[in-house]
Amino acid sequence: MTTLSIDSGDLKVIEEYASTGLITDATTNPLFVSQVGLNSGDPFYASLVNDAVNFAVQTSQDQQGSTAILTEADMVALAIDKLSVNLGAAISRIVKGFISTEVDTRLSFDTQASVERARRIIQLYQQMGVHKSRVLVKLAATWEGICAAEVLEAQGIQCNLTLVFSFIQAVACAQKRAHLISPFPGRILDWHHKSKSPVRTSVATPEEDEGVLACKKMYNYFKCHGHDTICMPASWRPSRGAGFELDEIRALAGTDRMTIPATLLQKLAECNDPLPRVLNTDDAKKTLEPLVGGGNISEKEFRYLFNMDGCGTDKMAEGIRAFISETEKLEIVIAEKVRAVAQKAKQPC
């Protein structure tokens, strides 16, 4: 009915759930990579970090005398990409499906830089024996990120467009033939709760949950217009408040895929209530969602409609800032390690 992915960078947790058959895929994000980079107490995670730093420094040394000399900032960026891939490769040995790895979120407004970074991530995976068919490159669903996905998909690199909070983002992703989108129903609900006066804390039924309604609309549009783009919601909240943590998941049963954290996977496994399918292709086609942008929305129309969506713009900015914050924390740690290894390499034997 719906393929499940685990939202975690903890290898032990991923292994536990993969062994049950509940999940086939895994998604990571800058927070998970940062946690690995900062978890110096675990020998295995420390080895992933050390390998990434040594790789970056050695690459820099190998390029001495060429025109492509790496600065310290270049080495740090390469080490972080390598760390992300080291983590993803370790996950690929546990799950049999997709692994998602994110391009530096600071490149979200630069199409060409995003494309180049995505290609590097794929190259790093291939060097570790992981075929590109198993990797989803994560990009923020800005206009530039969506355009980067269009270029990459044409080159056989599959993309996961994340931080989707607006219907128009989903439409643009599908029209540009992105492999998959990750809308965030829980964060959409958060925004609508806070936008009410007085502030709302729950809704009467999951069917009234604005996050659920947004994801349903995206799914229905894709099926109505023959888009192959996969709808994979992530980030969940209890529609009716505490004690109803599975509300959104149950209300979107039948969507193509879901990525779910371990705590909710456990609740789902323990739940004995019937789980009827809510979304399906036949019913989606009956909604007759109107075609947007003539089937190929322009940048001007996208920017206007996205700007008019308060939830979309607010939550996108918030998400980008949060991911950048995690990347910058990791950068400080990696930079120190890069300097130490580079200095040691300069010392005579």
Side-chain angles (χ1 to χ4, degrees), residues 262-283:
T263 52
L264 293 182
L265 283 173
Q266 185 63 34
K267 287 183 178 294
L268 198 59
E270 294 170 352
C271 181
N272 294 317
D273 296 338
L275 184 58
R277 181 167 188 161
V278 179
L279 300 181
N280 63 76
T281 300
D282 290 340
D283 287 344

Side-chain angles (χ1 to χ4, degrees), residues 275-339:
L275 184 58
R277 181 167 188 161
V278 179
L279 300 181
N280 63 76
T281 300
D282 290 340
D283 287 344
K285 289 179 178 179
K286 293 174 185 175
T287 62
L288 302 176
E289 288 285 345
L291 187 66
V292 175
N296 186 20
I297 192 168
S298 67
E299 177 180 355
K300 179 173 66 175
E301 187 175 6
F302 172 87
R303 292 194 186 281
Y304 174 77
L305 292 173
F306 187 47
N307 182 72
M308 297 305 291
D309 186 327
C311 174
T313 53
D314 287 353
K315 299 306 285 187
M316 165 66 87
E318 179 184 286
I320 287 176
R321 287 195 299 267
F323 282 165
I324 288 175
S325 174
E326 293 301 328
T327 300
E328 289 177 342
K329 290 177 192 175
L330 178 59
E331 237 180 8
I332 294 170
V333 174
I334 297 297
E336 290 177 357
K337 293 180 180 294
V338 163
R339 283 192 289 271

